[in-house]
Amino acid sequence: MITVTGARKSYGDFTALDDVSLEIPAGTLTALLGPSGSGKSTLLRAIAGLEGLDGGRVVIGGRDVTGVPPQKRGIGFVFQHYAAFKHMTVRDNVAFGLTIRKRPKAEIARKVDDLLEIVGLDGFQHRYPAQLSGGQRQRMALARALAVDPEVLLLDEPFGALDAKVRADLRQWLRRLHDEVHVTTVLVTHDQEEALDVADRIAVLNKGRIEQVGDPVALYDRPANDFVMSFLGSVARLGGQLVRPHDIALHRTRERALQLDARVGGSPGVIEAVVERVVRLGFEVRVDLRADTGERFAAQLTRAEADALALQAGDTVFAHTVQAVNPAEAEPALAI
Amino acid sequence: MTTTTPARLGLRTVALGYLVLLVAVPIALILWRSFEPGVGAFVESVRTPAALAALNLSLLIVAIVVPLNVVFGVGTALALVRGRFPGKGLLQAVVDLPFAVSPIVVGVALILLWGSGGWFGGVEGLGLQVIFGLPGMVIATLFVTLPFVVREVEPVLHEIGTEQEQAASTLGASSWQTFWRITLPAIRWGLTYGVVLTIARALGEFGAVIMVSSGFPGVSQTLTLLVHSRYIDDHNAYGAYAAATLLMGLAVATLLGMTLLDRKRSTR
């Protein structure tokens, strides 16, 4: 378990962390999600001891490590750009932490081989990092971090430098690895899809503060505010209110729309809009609309719904929400 | 840009001719003159006690200067790249000073500082002969070779950044272990170039050394001073050619060593 209390950090005029408190339960995979400059990397580096705090405390596994250097924190850290030791073979890279700890040679060899098998780099022992692909290098870096049996594993945008396909594969793989190894893991990312995909819990950061902490479903369905809502998943602005595009229903007549809308409280009402474009995205259909107020928004329908309406550009439709998501009235955030 | 074949050939000829005239011809001439009377005469000329003493002295100076330059050069480069302190810009300029200042000026300045009557002239009274002694020649050579290691290591340090070192620290390595296992191997090629340049320059330094050396044959003559005194004082032109060839041989051997290392590096 990691507990951060009242963490504060400034770089000159820029406030990276503004009184951040966060609890990360043991054994979970928690994502720190936020735009660049939100303080998520600073928070991770402060947990690692790579960054000193101006104020606040960091406790890992019940031990206050606030003033402890990174060497003695019992952490494993994975960098966005791998930080591979270029002059060492894959085996020596992974063995580094154990060599420093002067473990017996046989033990090191066994452990390194085991780890390389786990990360799928068996047979690459004698290669140099320059002879590996980006994804392989990052898996090597992960094996290296795991070799020292860290109490917590900290990943700083680990897949940020990889292309989309490799990134998607690696995060599935990370999730499976976490289910096997169970080490408390903190992952920094700016990619909401990545966070929703791998994490048990997500902490959303913005401008050095934590906006909301919770499991992915809670954050998506009951965002604490507009920022969290628009950062996790796509949104449309309908009658001045933020809604999910898939929560918008379209009808041919105002009467029908009014009839169905009346069942939901707190909605922005029925909006008359003109269809600008209909885009078929596989199973889903995105309808780009312009409201009579001039506001543009998009609705997301299933193919069956779209076919039933037989929408064409230029048609007039009546939109309403099927599920009111009003951040102000949502359940209080799980933030601590 | 496209150039016609005659223009391209013309350009190449001019460039090549320039190189041949300015570098190849003088070197070839010295080699030819050295070996004209036969290899035996050459060997005899570079095996006189004065020549052997000069060779030893030159190598001794290199042996003292190189380690000092490595330690302080790497330290300075680390401070310049990683450090944040007032006066860093000034330090940058000071490191380049030996490139700009004529070696003979260095010699004069050292006499002013260390000579009898200088600020540190008192050390002579303690029995330490700096000017007209080995320490003076070492200090003069240190001065002129100071920038090489710093300037070769600095860009490499910039390039490698600090992530590898941070990774090492999260894996439990102390600062000292990180330096030996991560930083030093990462900068080793820059450092090697710096050392090679230092060796070549230390062997070839003349202007600064002649000012602070007593110049006694067999005692305080380096190879460059030997070439000079054989030619000017002894009117022994052949001896000067032979000593110059020996000096050149050492420099070529150094460069050759570097080329071999370079090849080894690119094949890995």
Side-chain angles (χ1 to χ4, degrees), chain A:
Chain A
M1 172 148 128
I2 307 168
T3 312
V4 178
T5 346
R8 234 181 278 277
K9 176 78 183 179
S10 305
Y11 301 99
D13 290 340
F14 178 72
T15 305
L17 293 176
D18 184 8
D19 195 12
V20 169
S21 294
L22 177 67
E23 203 159 278
I24 293 162
T28 59
L29 201 169
T30 300
L32 304 179
L33 176 67
S36 59
S38 60
K40 56 191 190 303
S41 277
T42 308
L43 180 57
L44 191 80
R45 294 173 61 83
I47 294 171
L50 292 171
E51 208 79 68
L53 286 173
D54 298 338
R57 315 214 67 78
V58 178
V59 176
I60 298 176
R63 187 165 67 106
D64 189 331
V65 294
T66 310
V68 176
Q71 288 90 337
K72 301 197 170 83
R73 288 201 180 193
I75 52 150
F77 201 98
V78 173
F79 296 79
Q80 179 175 1
H81 298 287
Y82 329 123
F85 302 143
K86 295 196 179 87
H87 61 284
M88 294 183 194
T89 59
V90 169
R91 162 173 278 163
D92 291 343
N93 262 276
V94 177
F96 187 83
L98 299 169
T99 315
I100 289 287
R101 284 166 178 72
K102 298 199 165 56
R103 294 282 167 75
K105 276 222 172 86
E107 183 197 324
I108 293 177
R110 185 159 29 84
K111 186 142 196 188
V112 169
D113 287 344
D114 284 353
L115 277 165
L116 286 177
E117 203 181 321
I118 291 176
V119 301
L121 286 177
D122 203 16
F124 288 78
Q125 273 85 340
H126 300 291
R127 297 249 189 132
Y128 283 90
Q131 299 164 317
L132 302 180
S133 71
Q136 289 171 332
R137 273 183 232 182
Q138 200 55 302
R139 281 184 279 151
M140 178 192 84
L142 212 56
R144 183 175 73 181
L146 288 171
V148 296
D149 291 322
E151 203 164 331
V152 297
L153 181 62
L154 308 170
L155 313 165
D156 191 3
E157 303 246 11
F159 313 132
L162 302 167
D163 61 58
K165 173 82 174 79
V166 180
R167 196 185 315 171
D169 286 351
L170 266 188
R171 70 180 186 231
Q172 293 299 325
W173 174 85
L174 175 70
R175 183 64 232 186
R176 284 198 303 274
L177 183 77
H178 182 263
D179 293 339
E180 276 173 39
V181 186
H182 288 305
V183 57
T184 310
T185 305
V186 187
L187 167 100
V188 160
T189 179
H190 62 264
D191 180 349
Q192 45 101 5
E193 197 189 318
E194 188 168 294
L196 290 169
D197 192 351
V198 298
D200 308 319
R201 283 162 42 93
I202 299 175
V204 180
L205 280 92
N206 183 33
K207 292 180 181 156
R209 295 183 146 274
I210 290 190
E211 299 281 357
Q212 191 175 2
V213 185
D215 63 80
V217 175
L219 259 65
Y220 190 85
D221 290 346
R222 297 187 298 279
N225 52 41
D226 282 359
F227 178 83
V228 175
M229 177 154 180
S230 52
F231 205 77
L232 268 119
S234 47
V235 288
R237 190 169 281 279
L238 191 61
Q241 206 177 318
L242 286 181
V243 294
R244 300 285 184 207
H246 53 72
D247 287 339
I248 297 175
L250 301 177
H251 299 279
R252 283 290 190 180
T253 63
R254 182 182 292 275
E255 290 68 34
R256 183 71 182 143
L258 277 170
Q259 215 177 0
L260 289 167
D261 184 52
R263 294 175 191 173
V264 184
S267 80
V270 173
I271 310 281
E272 187 178 336
V274 177
V275 176
E276 292 200 313
R277 196 162 167 242
V278 179
V279 188
R280 289 179 171 267
L281 303 159
F283 173 71
E284 290 167 354
V285 177
R286 193 184 79 221
V287 186
D288 293 337
L289 298 143
R290 196 178 71 239
D292 47 8
T293 57
E295 204 172 44
R296 282 194 162 81
F297 63 97
Q300 199 177 326
L301 310 180
T302 65
R303 207 154 148 177
E305 288 167 342
D307 288 347
L309 286 164
L311 293 173
Q312 300 248 312
D315 288 358
T316 299
V317 291
F318 299 90
H320 70 88
T321 57
V322 292
Q323 188 183 355
V325 181
N326 189 337
E329 290 172 12
E331 285 173 42
L334 296 166
I336 20 171

Side-chain angles (χ1 to χ4, degrees), chain B residues 96-116:
Chain B
D96 282 335
L97 214 54
F99 281 144
V101 175
S102 167
I104 200 123
V105 176
V106 177
V108 174
L110 288 181
I111 292 176
L112 275 176
L113 189 63
W114 293 95
S116 49

Side-chain angles (χ1 to χ4, degrees), chain B residues 251-261:
Chain B
V252 168
T254 313
L255 282 175
L256 209 67
M258 184 174 87
T259 313
L260 287 176
L261 280 172

Side-chain angles (χ1 to χ4, degrees), chain B residues 138-246:
Chain B
V138 169
I139 293 171
T141 311
L142 277 174
F143 189 108
V144 297
T145 56
L146 179 101
F148 293 117
V149 169
V150 181
R151 289 294 179 235
E152 289 297 322
V153 168
E154 222 185 329
V156 187
L157 277 175
H158 263 299
E159 193 197 314
I160 59 168
T162 52
E163 270 204 349
Q164 291 186 51
E165 293 169 16
Q166 288 176 9
S169 76
T170 64
L171 291 166
S174 67
S175 321
W176 193 240
Q177 285 170 320
T178 302
F179 177 78
W180 282 104
R181 288 165 185 263
I182 306 299
T183 315
L184 203 57
I187 62 171
R188 67 193 186 282
W189 293 114
L191 189 57
T192 309
Y193 282 123
V195 166
V196 168
L197 291 173
T198 302
I199 294 174
R201 184 65 206 266
L203 283 172
E205 181 47 39
F206 176 71
V209 170
I210 198 169
M211 291 301 291
V212 297
S213 163
S214 53
F216 291 127
V219 180
S220 53
Q221 266 183 353
T222 61
L223 271 177
T224 52
L225 298 186
L226 179 77
V227 174
H228 178 256
S229 83
R230 274 185 172 178
Y231 198 86
I232 302 293
D233 306 332
D234 310 344
H235 304 292
N236 174 6
Y238 178 73
Y241 299 149
T245 298
L246 177 63

